Amino acid sequence: METRRPDISMSDVQHILTEICHWKIHKIDRLDSFEDRNFMVKYENAEASQSKEELKAMVKIVHSKNFCQQKVKAERRVMDHLKNEGFICTSCLSFPDGKWHYHTDDGKHVFRLFSFIPGVTLKSCLHLIDSKSMLLDLGSFVGKLHRSLQKVKESIVVEDRPTDPWILKNSSILRNLLKEIQGTSEEKERLILNTLENFDHDVMTSFDDLPKGVTHNDIHDLNIIVNYHDGKLQSIECNTEENGVKAKFGLIDFSDVAVSPYLFEVAMVIRDLTVDIEDVPHLEIGAYFLTGYTEVSPISAKELQLLPYCIQTGLCQYIVVGESEFQKQPDNEYTRLGADNAWTVLQKLQHITNSDISKTWERIMNS
């Protein structure tokens, strides 16, 4: 899979949207991305011109070699299901010819269009909101999400992605990438390899017994849209009848949808929050999230015991994949986002036993 971002200019993007979609472009903003090109576009079309309404949409551009029509169809089915269940999530927009994608004339790139969810990314406002309250709400939200996704047939997910380093079970890929990274210290390499070994020994031996299903597989604070006021999350200004936690979080970017243990996605969310939240102690972050999650979707004692191994391996993903991609894309700082903080957290956690981590969670969850 090509991981370097598509080489396409802003003027080419505007030209295609103008000629193919018949949009009158008001503004295009380039967004951070790992392996795609993403843009937020303000525009008007023939219908909007009648009402003088400015519209917004998200544009994703991928390499043609990375595009899979069956995978895109699965994404749409998951998004449509969640919207029908009252969740706020982005949805695909069709091109004027009725298709869900557009291949550029040179055959190199594929354009996709998505609806815009009003608000800001959770990451951008973490320092402005009540973290503990947010963690409880987000835990409940992800719990409800998993309960809903249990109704989606696993057969719609067409790719197993055995070489994707962001799939937690592919820990061997991280080992291979680590060997290729230049300048890794002996301490860092040793700790990462020990973490991966513990994960394989304690988690992967129980993999077949873990509850699994369709997951978003990329829930992090840049893919969560929120609205806030006076330090509290508010309902997103969207057409929804929901008033609870479903109304407080909008979910975007379903391109990594996968069949996976729900525990792995819980670990990934806690990993990201642990890296980014500064006003709550590391161990308490997981505890507050789990408090909200388990009220909706119970976690077994065995899963809780395995969760610290999963989080630590997730931290290794940030460190290894981030550094590996940055060496391939030295002009893309986004690839290393969170890597330094992940290393700091991983170092701190090595001085705490996983048993003590679980006990801390249980104490707070039962208080």
Side-chain angles (χ1 to χ4, degrees):
M1 175 177 283
E2 176 62 68
T3 58
R4 294 175 181 83
R5 294 172 296 176
D7 183 15
I8 187 167
S9 69
M10 190 89 79
S11 60
D12 286 340
V13 174
Q14 181 162 343
H15 174 75
I16 288 174
L17 294 176
T18 300
E19 294 298 315
I20 303 302
C21 299
H22 313 301
W23 290 358
K24 180 179 179 180
I25 306 297
H26 293 175
K27 186 179 181 182
I28 299 182
D29 290 323
R30 191 189 302 273
L31 305 176
D32 290 330
S33 60
F34 197 87
E35 60 188 27
D36 307 323
R37 291 288 185 185
N38 297 323
F39 300 88
M40 197 278 281
V41 182
K42 297 180 180 179
Y43 69 98
E44 64 180 71
N45 56 23
E47 295 177 1
S49 296
Q50 302 299 321
S51 61
K52 304 299 181 181
E53 178 185 6
E54 183 179 68
L55 303 174
K56 296 179 182 179
M58 311 302 292
V59 179
K60 178 183 285 288
I61 304 168
V62 303
H63 292 285
S64 292
K65 65 183 73 173
N66 293 348
F67 179 75
C68 172
Q69 194 158 341
Q70 283 182 291
K71 179 173 175 288
V72 168
K73 184 178 179 179
E75 292 172 32
R76 290 205 313 273
R77 288 182 63 180
V78 171
M79 287 185 274
D80 290 345
H81 166 80
L82 291 176
K83 290 178 78 71
N84 289 336
E85 294 260 310
F87 290 88
I88 299 172
C89 60
T90 190
S91 56
C92 296
L93 303 177
S94 63
F95 285 81
D97 62 2
K99 294 182 179 180
W100 299 103
H101 60 276
Y102 168 78
H103 286 271
T104 55
D105 291 338
D106 59 11
K108 292 181 178 180
H109 306 125
V110 176
F111 277 57
R112 298 180 64 196
L113 308 177
F114 297 90
S115 61
F116 174 81
I117 299 176
V120 297
T121 64
L122 177 60
K123 183 178 178 65
S124 69
C125 65
L126 281 175
H127 62 295
L128 299 172
I129 59 177
D130 181 338
S131 294
K132 292 181 180 179
S133 176
M134 179 277 293
L135 287 166
L136 291 168
D137 283 345
L138 184 59
S140 178
F141 171 80
V142 176
K144 289 177 181 291
L145 186 79
H146 284 172
R147 291 290 295 271
S148 176
L149 288 174
Q150 289 175 15
K151 305 173 186 176
V152 178
K153 293 181 179 179
E154 296 181 13
S155 59
I156 73 164
V157 178
V158 296
E159 287 188 309
D160 191 32
R161 309 215 297 274
T163 61
D164 187 343
W166 291 113
I167 301 293
L168 199 61
K169 70 175 182 179
N170 298 339
S171 55
S172 61
I173 306 298
L174 297 181
R175 289 187 180 87
N176 296 335
L177 291 177
L178 185 60
K179 295 175 184 176
E180 301 171 2
I181 298 173
Q182 300 175 2
T184 304
S185 68
E186 290 185 12
E187 177 197 4
K188 181 177 285 189
E189 182 174 353
R190 183 173 59 253
L191 180 52
I192 290 173
L193 290 175
N194 286 342
T195 301
L196 298 179
E197 182 178 350
N198 291 336
F199 175 78
D200 287 346
H201 180 270
D202 291 274
V203 178
M204 291 309 296
T205 53
S206 301
F207 181 81
D208 291 341
D209 299 325
L210 295 174
K212 303 174 185 67
V214 175
T215 62
H216 178 280
N217 202 45
D218 196 23
I219 300 177
H220 59 74
D221 50 18
L222 284 170
N223 282 340
I224 299 171
I225 305 301
V226 298
N227 182 28
Y228 68 95
H229 180 71
D230 289 339
K232 297 286 187 180
L233 293 181
Q234 307 290 317
S235 294
I236 296 174
E237 296 176 5
C238 244
N239 292 328
T240 177
E241 298 178 358
E242 295 286 338
N243 293 313
V245 294
K246 286 184 182 179
K248 293 182 179 181
F249 299 99
L251 201 53
I252 64 174
D253 196 351
F254 285 74
S255 58
D256 287 321
V257 164
V259 173
S260 173
Y262 299 114
L263 183 72
F264 285 7
E265 182 146 81
V266 169
M268 297 303 93
V269 179
I270 295 175
R271 169 201 65 186
D272 290 329
L273 296 169
T274 303
V275 166
D276 289 340
I277 292 178
E278 298 179 353
D279 61 339
V280 178
H282 290 143
L283 297 190
E284 294 185 16
I285 290 172
Y288 289 114
F289 177 88
L290 289 169
T291 299
Y293 183 90
T294 54
E295 288 179 354
V296 180
S297 186
I299 289 180
S300 69
K302 178 63 175 178
E303 288 177 288
L304 198 63
Q305 178 187 347
L306 297 178
L307 184 54
Y309 295 102
C310 300
I311 294 170
Q312 290 160 30
T313 300
L315 292 168
C316 292
Q317 286 179 314
Y318 260 170
I319 300 163
V320 176
V321 182
E323 194 58 49
S324 174
E325 281 303 318
F326 183 67
Q327 291 189 1
K328 298 173 185 175
Q329 303 184 58
D331 62 332
N332 187 4
E333 284 287 342
Y334 181 77
T335 59
R336 293 196 71 255
L337 189 67
D340 291 338
N341 286 350
W343 171 239
T344 299
V345 174
L346 187 63
Q347 286 179 297
K348 291 180 178 179
L349 292 181
Q350 72 170 316
H351 301 296
I352 309 170
T353 67
N354 286 353
S355 175
D356 285 341
I357 293 174
S358 298
K359 288 177 181 177
T360 300
W361 289 343
E362 290 174 335
R363 174 178 54 80
I364 295 176
M365 290 166 66
N366 295 328
S367 62

